[in-house]
Amino acid sequence: MAAAKFIGRFLCTESENFEEYLKEVGFGYFVRKTAINMSVTIDIKMQGKKWIISQESTFKTISLEFELDKEFEETTADGRRYMTLVTFTP
């Protein structure tokens, strides 16, 4: 699977338009400023068909577990819940 090349541990060094995204989904000023300035490490793994993505920062670790093309409930860093669908197009 071509998506397997994404497996590994990565340090996020920049995020384009991240603050604008956070503002659009309703995060407050101080949370946005903190989020855009923190160092985040992203760990991507696969167990069978299940993807596990962990985002680790000084303040919080958030994990997602899902299978491609299957809707799942995601809880955001501030506790909001969404139904999410992850797809992969090579």
Side-chain angles (χ1 to χ4, degrees), residues 1 7 45-52 66-68:
M1 167 191 268
I7 295 171
K45 301 176 185 175
M46 273 188 82
Q47 290 180 348
K49 292 183 177 185
K50 185 187 299 183
W51 286 83
I52 302 167
F66 59 89
E67 290 184 33
L68 293 177

Side-chain angles (χ1 to χ4, degrees), residues 6-19:
F6 296 104
I7 295 171
R9 190 166 177 83
F10 307 92
L11 176 62
C12 182
T13 58
E14 71 180 82
S15 294
E16 202 170 303
N17 297 319
F18 186 48
E19 184 174 9

Side-chain angles (χ1 to χ4, degrees), residues 21-85:
Y21 165 76
L22 293 175
K23 185 176 182 179
E24 186 67 28
V25 296
F27 284 87
Y29 176 82
F30 292 109
V31 173
R32 289 195 317 266
K33 292 301 179 186
T34 301
I36 65 171
N37 289 305
M38 73 173 66
S39 175
V40 177
T41 300
I42 301 168
D43 192 30
I44 303 174
K45 301 176 185 175
M46 273 188 82
Q47 290 180 348
K49 292 183 177 185
K50 185 187 299 183
W51 286 83
I52 302 167
I53 301 178
S54 298
Q55 300 175 19
E56 303 168 10
S57 72
T58 307
F59 298 104
K60 196 169 203 170
T61 298
I62 302 169
S63 292
L64 294 176
E65 293 188 18
F66 59 89
E67 290 184 33
L68 293 177
D69 303 314
K70 289 187 179 179
E71 194 172 51
F72 67 99
E73 185 175 276
E74 175 182 0
T75 303
T76 63
D78 65 343
R80 290 181 283 173
R81 294 174 186 232
Y82 294 94
M83 294 307 293
T84 302
L85 177 67

